[in-house]
Amino acid sequence: MLYTIGTLMTLSFALSLLALAFLLWAIITKQFSFTQDDARIIFDEGDEGSGDCPVAYGDGVEDTAGRRRPEPRALHADRWISLPERTSARRLLLFLFVSATLWLLIGSGFGIIASFKLHLPDWLTGSAPLTFGRMRSMHLNAVIYGWLSLGGIAVALWIIPTIFKTHLRLVWLALLGGLFWNLYVAVGLMGLAVGWTDGLEWLEFAWPVDIPLATAGACFAIPLLATARHRQVRHIYVSGWYLFAGLFWFPVLFLLANTPYVHSGAQQATVNWWFAHNVLGLWLTPLGLGIAYYFIPKIIGKPIYSYRLSLLGFWALALFYSQVGVHHLIGGPVPTWVVTLSIVQSLMMVVPVVAVAINQHVLVAMNTWAFRESLPLRFISFGAIMYTLASLQGSAQALREVNSLVHFTHFTVAHAHLGVYAFVTMVLFGAIYYLIPRMQQRPWPYPGLIALHFWLAAIGFGIYFVSLTIGGIWQGLAMLDPAADFIASVSVTLPYLQGRSVGGILMTLGHLIFALHLALALALARLGPHSAPTAREDRRRAHAQQGEVVT
């Protein structure tokens, strides 16, 4: 056991050394020789200060601050991108967005069934695939690997070429990766339905599925690395650091945790939670923060509050997160020093969280007009706030006193959804709402549906989170009472589990609206680009009437 845990610590240390090597490379190549002006690299000429916060893209209407809403832009419609490259990349991203949305619907269906079975255990009995254990596992994997991973990779495939001002290389390889990723997520879910599983939370897919899934992931990473190699800018914007770090960390985590016939017993439990927590902190969190760091200033039209602080937050995440997950084994048969190390690193996570909070929340607070006008920004800013809350709650939850109360309760389920749904999923919704009009050169057909989706998701999650948080605390108190029967800790949660189902239904209704609206937008795109006059055309006409020439 000591050998296995020691090996794990050694590997983590080796990763830290490799991260240090990247840090030294960044210093040698003067990646840290930057100023606040480097935060403006995300803006094209003339974009900064104008804002990009429409309710309905391209309608030519002024917002409440008197700013003309900008015209929709095609994917990579910049001077350094040729039309064929833009078309192939557009088709790739649409395929990934549609695939991710289908997995979101499938995963939501599994989640609703699993939620109802917690307070209606006799519902849908007599079929093994419909038991709670299999439904819950299928929900988790469909959402993590199908929706969040595919959707996040798709947005990364848009952001990386954009901030590097070059076109996406090896589009065919990324498309092949998307096909195989979808195929093996489907195979893995069907395997779970029939009981083919490794039987470990977050590691349910059998290893014959893991290997081709990892290979498909490499098909995404290679085009992004090839694109970065041909970048036309000196400085790597902070979003690039987060996205590339996630693409490096996740394969290492995935392969170490899924290597067959290596881990067993208490050692396996250590690896299990080391992986499970780092999927959120070193994969989904970099995706979510990288996306938020790009779109929040892009939509508002102003650079982030402090660019130096943004990179401090990134390196603090890289240094402090790798051992956070082992605090799930407080009281377990593992050395105390391993758990204590995890608790210390959990508390140190306050550093990157505060850095992100200052940068993103201050920028939005200073530009509330953009929050009111931009529906995509509502999703992304909401997600950024939830990241702050989830991270601070996670640091507190790592303390032994708090952990002893809430660890084996529904409180931890609420906490997980605070990070995975309220943060990453909401940010991803906002990014897709921003990108689709630019890719299709048409506005969303019904902006009111976007607002409805936001409120269904926000209110539904609020009911879900509050119900499980309160129910989890009561559950923990009942389990710690030596005079109470265990059944008392189950009975006390029933009304809160019903609240969970109500919240889940509202969120799922939002997902259905999102999917239908996306399908309608793609169908209308076949009619061609939106024909309404753009802001640039309006300015050209106005100046032409005055005898001026506008370029």
Side-chain angles (χ1 to χ4, degrees), residues 238 242 293 304 306-315 355 359:
V238 62
Y242 275 108
Y293 262 122
I304 56 177
S306 171
Y307 193 61
R308 292 182 182 275
L309 198 58
S310 70
L311 290 178
L312 171 65
F314 167 75
W315 286 108
N359 258 325

Side-chain angles (χ1 to χ4, degrees), residues 523-548:
L524 291 176
R526 296 179 177 274
L527 301 177
H530 189 51
S531 59
T534 64
R536 179 181 292 274
E537 291 169 349
D538 288 343
R539 291 195 299 272
R540 189 185 298 276
R541 292 195 191 99
H543 286 282
Q545 291 175 358
Q546 300 174 11
E548 301 176 9

Side-chain angles (χ1 to χ4, degrees), residues 66-386:
R67 296 173 175 81
R68 174 69 69 174
R69 290 172 181 157
E71 63 192 87
R73 293 186 295 275
L75 176 63
H76 295 157
D78 301 299
R79 62 183 179 274
W80 53 80
I81 301 298
S82 65
L83 183 59
E85 292 157 346
R86 187 166 70 243
T87 301
S88 60
R90 169 183 167 274
R91 290 173 178 170
L92 166 66
L93 297 198
L94 287 178
F95 167 68
L96 295 180
F97 284 142
V98 171
S99 300
T101 302
L102 290 175
W103 288 122
L104 172 66
L105 295 180
I106 293 171
S108 299
F110 294 150
I112 288 294
I113 294 173
S115 180
F116 269 84
K117 289 181 76 66
L118 286 173
H119 55 88
L120 295 174
D122 294 329
W123 183 53
L124 297 179
T125 57
S127 175
L130 294 177
T131 56
F132 172 81
R134 296 189 186 182
M135 282 288 104
R136 199 266 181 181
S137 297
M138 293 165 70
H139 161 70
L140 174 67
N141 286 275
V143 170
I144 296 298
Y145 296 112
W147 158 242
L148 290 173
S149 294
L150 269 183
I153 289 171
V155 178
L157 289 168
W158 191 90
I159 290 178
I160 293 298
T162 302
I163 63 175
F164 287 164
K165 303 194 185 310
T166 185
H167 65 85
L168 180 65
R169 264 65 177 187
L170 303 176
V171 175
W172 65 269
L173 184 59
L175 179 59
L176 184 64
L179 292 170
F180 275 96
W181 188 282
N182 278 292
L183 173 62
Y184 281 97
V185 169
V187 171
L189 291 178
M190 288 187 290
L192 294 180
V194 298
W196 186 38
T197 174
D198 286 343
L200 296 165
E201 189 173 7
W202 293 81
L203 291 170
E204 288 92 348
F205 282 169
W207 69 264
V209 175
D210 296 328
I211 294 174
L213 198 61
T215 304
C219 293
F220 290 125
I222 292 172
L224 286 174
L225 291 172
T227 301
R229 184 173 179 271
H230 292 86
R231 73 181 193 271
Q232 302 299 309
V233 295
R234 176 192 64 83
H235 182 72
I236 299 176
Y237 181 68
V238 62
S239 291
W241 283 104
Y242 275 108
L243 296 174
F244 273 115
L247 289 167
F248 167 74
W249 283 325
F250 182 68
V252 176
L253 294 169
F254 192 82
L255 292 174
L256 285 176
N258 285 285
T259 303
Y261 312 120
V262 173
H263 315 294
S264 62
Q267 302 96 318
Q268 178 65 79
T270 305
V271 174
N272 185 186
W273 282 108
W274 174 77
F275 172 80
H277 218 286
N278 285 340
V279 167
L280 175 60
L282 297 181
W283 172 232
L284 299 181
T285 292
L287 286 180
L289 290 181
I291 292 170
Y293 262 122
Y294 177 82
F295 285 109
I296 290 177
K298 185 74 171 178
I299 292 172
I300 292 175
K302 297 179 181 178
I304 56 177
Y305 182 75
S306 171
Y307 193 61
R308 292 182 182 275
L309 198 58
S310 70
L311 290 178
L312 171 65
F314 167 75
W315 286 108
L317 176 73
L319 291 172
F320 299 141
Y321 205 99
S322 65
Q323 300 302 324
V324 167
V326 185
H327 74 255
H328 283 273
L329 297 175
I330 291 176
V334 296
T336 302
W337 69 266
V338 177
V339 176
T340 301
L341 175 64
S342 178
I343 294 172
V344 172
Q345 295 210 23
S346 295
L347 295 178
M348 292 301 295
M349 277 298 297
V350 172
V351 175
V353 171
V354 171
V356 171
I358 292 174
N359 258 325
Q360 298 182 355
H361 305 337
V362 170
L363 180 60
V364 175
M366 294 172 64
N367 298 274
T368 55
W369 60 268
F371 186 84
R372 293 192 303 269
E373 293 293 330
S374 175
L375 292 172
L377 184 62
R378 290 186 194 178
F379 283 91
I380 297 171
S381 181
F382 179 90
I385 293 171
M386 293 302 107

Side-chain angles (χ1 to χ4, degrees), residues 51-66:
D52 191 2
C53 57
V55 174
Y57 294 105
D59 59 7
V61 180
E62 291 185 351
D63 61 29
T64 56

Side-chain angles (χ1 to χ4, degrees), residues 278-523:
N278 285 340
V279 167
L280 175 60
L282 297 181
W283 172 232
L284 299 181
T285 292
L287 286 180
L289 290 181
I291 292 170
Y293 262 122
Y294 177 82
F295 285 109
I296 290 177
K298 185 74 171 178
I299 292 172
I300 292 175
K302 297 179 181 178
I304 56 177
Y305 182 75
S306 171
Y307 193 61
R308 292 182 182 275
L309 198 58
S310 70
L311 290 178
L312 171 65
F314 167 75
W315 286 108
L317 176 73
L319 291 172
F320 299 141
Y321 205 99
S322 65
Q323 300 302 324
V324 167
V326 185
H327 74 255
H328 283 273
L329 297 175
I330 291 176
V334 296
T336 302
W337 69 266
V338 177
V339 176
T340 301
L341 175 64
S342 178
I343 294 172
V344 172
Q345 295 210 23
S346 295
L347 295 178
M348 292 301 295
M349 277 298 297
V350 172
V351 175
V353 171
V354 171
V356 171
I358 292 174
N359 258 325
Q360 298 182 355
H361 305 337
V362 170
L363 180 60
V364 175
M366 294 172 64
N367 298 274
T368 55
W369 60 268
F371 186 84
R372 293 192 303 269
E373 293 293 330
S374 175
L375 292 172
L377 184 62
R378 290 186 194 178
F379 283 91
I380 297 171
S381 181
F382 179 90
I385 293 171
M386 293 302 107
Y387 167 72
T388 303
L389 297 179
S391 299
L392 295 178
Q393 185 189 59
S395 295
Q397 194 174 334
L399 297 173
R400 286 183 169 89
E401 293 78 6
V402 179
N403 191 279
S404 63
L405 172 64
V406 303
H407 180 56
F408 294 107
T409 72
H410 296 294
F411 185 99
T412 58
V413 179
H415 171 67
H417 283 77
L418 182 61
V420 174
Y421 187 89
F423 165 41
V424 187
T425 288
M426 293 295 274
V427 166
L428 191 52
F429 280 140
I432 294 174
Y433 278 128
Y434 178 96
L435 288 178
I436 291 298
R438 280 139 182 80
M439 295 166 62
Q440 301 295 88
Q441 294 186 274
R442 290 187 64 87
W444 285 99
Y446 300 104
L449 291 180
I450 303 177
L452 178 60
H453 175 201
F454 174 81
W455 288 113
L456 284 171
I459 295 173
F461 173 76
I463 295 172
Y464 184 104
F465 178 77
V466 171
S467 296
L468 288 188
T469 298
I470 297 175
I473 292 173
W474 283 115
Q475 182 185 14
L477 291 172
M479 288 195 296
L480 290 175
D481 183 0
D485 293 332
F486 178 76
I487 193 62
S489 67
V490 177
S491 301
V492 75
T493 64
L494 286 178
Y496 303 102
L497 294 176
Q498 293 166 354
R500 164 187 173 147
S501 294
V502 171
I505 289 173
L506 292 178
M507 289 187 284
T508 301
L509 287 176
H511 303 164
L512 289 171
I513 290 172
F514 167 71
L516 291 174
H517 201 188
L518 177 61
L520 183 59
L522 297 182

